[in-house]
Amino acid sequence: MSSNKQDSRDQGGSELDDDRAPGEHDGAGQSLTAQVRGYAIGFLLAALLTAASFYVVGSKLVWTPAIPVALIALAIAQMGVHLVFFLHVTSGPDNTNNVLALAFGVLIVGLVLIGSIWIMAHLDHNLMPDMAMQR
């Protein structure tokens, strides 16, 4: 538990247990039933988003050229579900290191992807003429 919560209880203040993100838990502060319920909700949301992705591709619900945009939106929503319900990354003061580590990971992955695409584009541009005809 954080010291702020402990101080508020020592001073007779009321602790707001309901003021937390859906996937956030203290471990000791929640019962096993509440923890399992959080994981079950996350699992159901992730499964629902996966099924929605397959449904969008297989049906005429979305205009055909807009399917990639719909899939990207569903993928971002699913990443959010995984971050909140399974990795417990929230905006709370206790999660600052987790958020910074996640941001650093995203930065490194972005640099590797952009650098790889840049290198491949320059390699393609600098091919010898005979090799370009063999493609």
Side-chain angles (χ1 to χ4, degrees):
M1 296 244 168
S2 69
S3 63
N4 291 341
K5 288 182 182 180
Q6 187 66 33
D7 292 342
S8 69
R9 273 192 246 129
D10 291 342
Q11 297 172 0
S14 65
E15 182 181 354
L16 298 176
D17 284 334
D18 295 336
D19 189 27
R20 59 179 65 188
E24 184 180 13
H25 66 79
D26 294 341
Q30 280 186 332
S31 68
L32 181 62
T33 307
Q35 290 179 11
V36 170
R37 184 182 315 123
Y39 285 115
I41 291 170
F43 174 74
L44 290 174
L45 286 173
L48 180 70
L49 288 167
T50 301
S53 298
F54 282 103
Y55 182 74
V56 163
V57 170
S59 70
K60 299 293 181 190
L61 182 66
V62 177
W63 183 48
T64 305
I67 287 177
V69 175
L71 290 177
I72 289 170
L74 288 169
I76 290 171
Q78 192 164 39
M79 284 189 291
V81 167
H82 285 278
L83 287 172
V84 171
F85 285 97
F86 302 122
L87 298 176
H88 307 291
V89 174
T90 60
S91 61
D94 296 338
N95 288 318
T96 304
N97 288 336
N98 292 340
V99 173
L100 288 175
L102 177 66
F104 182 71
V106 168
L107 173 71
I108 296 301
V109 168
L111 287 174
V112 168
L113 285 174
I114 291 169
S116 298
I117 292 170
W118 185 17
I119 288 170
M120 287 187 289
H122 282 276
L123 286 173
D124 184 53
H125 177 72
N126 293 328
L127 278 177
M128 292 175 44
D130 291 338
M131 293 180 82
M133 285 190 276
Q134 292 176 0
R135 292 195 274 165

